[in-house]
Amino acid sequence: MMSLRDWCRDILASHTEGSCPAGAGKDPPSPAAEAKPNEALLAPDELEKQLLQVQKLAAVGVLAGSIAHDLNNLMMGISGNLELLRQAKEPDAASQKYMDNALDASRRAANLSRQMLAFSRKGSQEVKSVDLNRLVAENLELMKGSMRKGISLSVRLEPELPPIEAEPGKMQQLIVNLVTNAAEALGETGAIGVSTGVGELPAAEFTWSRVEPKPASGRFVFIEVSDSGCGMDGETSDRMFDPLFSTKAAGRGLGLTAVHAIVKASGGAILADTAPGEGTTIRAFLPAP
Ligand SMILES: Nc1ncnc2c1ncn2[C@@H]1O[C@H](COP(=O)(O)OP(=O)(O)OP(=O)(O)O)[C@@H](O)[C@H]1O
Ligand SMILES: [Mg+2]
């Protein structure tokens, strides 16, 4: 059986690929690098630090899975009872509104716990044909309610978007994390743009991809999320995909790690364009059939 240390090394090997110097991913690995990928890339201190991060991440994943499972059951109980209450008596207009609000909130909470489940292994779903446009529209509808009043949301969905082969829960996680980050980067007012697209793209398009290995030319669908928010300085931009790296609060910093892992597993790419005070645009490319 694989030891925990070996398992961590495997995960690190895949994680550290993303932080290779530009262009390194395209060169054939040297025999030394092939034999000991992590030692070749990381100093022992750094390796130890990252091992700890990966272990912490794994623990958070397990915890998130069990909390999400219980939360999901509780939310089903709450929304079920609210539905019954609504049917049991003719409510006046005000009570009707309160019940609808509570139902809406419980649906959103159930949705959140489903995302947590999808993030942990327990929720792993089957790969199937996914209509990204529909997922984007559904999730934005859910998320709109929790956005500040001064935030404008513009959506442009490519009508000819082909379906992709993916786990719906993972795609939802990707969308929700990108849009949540965009909303959190804004103050009371600002703009978020979400668009989808498809195209035959040359490998050169992915020169600056933050995911290794970079894909070859091919057909890709993409989702782009842009915001007029605070943007990122060089250090934040370099570290944004690192597990548990966050400028917001301790214990956060898993959103983009998940996005990175999902796109990497699909064989796609991520381009990020950001600067302090100039907003951020993240574009995630996924191979299309
Ligand atoms: N759209 C954005 N604008 C500005 N900074 C961003 C944006 N997206 C990500 N970042 C930066 O990257 C960091 C990592 O993002 P990530 O989504 O992984 O974690 P988080 O949002 O801090 O926490 P969570 O785990 O709740 O998602 C953020 O803390 C923030 O500093
Ligand atoms: Mg986030």
Side-chain angles (χ1 to χ4, degrees), residues 176-182 184 245-246 248 252-257 259:
V176 170
N177 275 310
L178 293 180
V179 176
T180 304
N181 280 348
E184 287 174 346
F245 170 77
S246 177
K248 295 169 191 170
R252 294 186 61 180
L254 294 177
L256 286 182
T257 308
V259 169

Side-chain angles (χ1 to χ4, degrees), residues 10 18 44 47 69 92 102 125 127 144 161 166 196 208 224 248 252 255 260 280 284-285:
D10 274 5
L47 177 63
H69 182 255
D92 56 46
Q125 297 181 13
V127 170
K144 262 198 299 210
L161 200 74
T196 56
W208 301 105
E224 180 181 288
K248 295 169 191 170
R252 294 186 61 180
H260 187 276
T280 299
F285 296 86

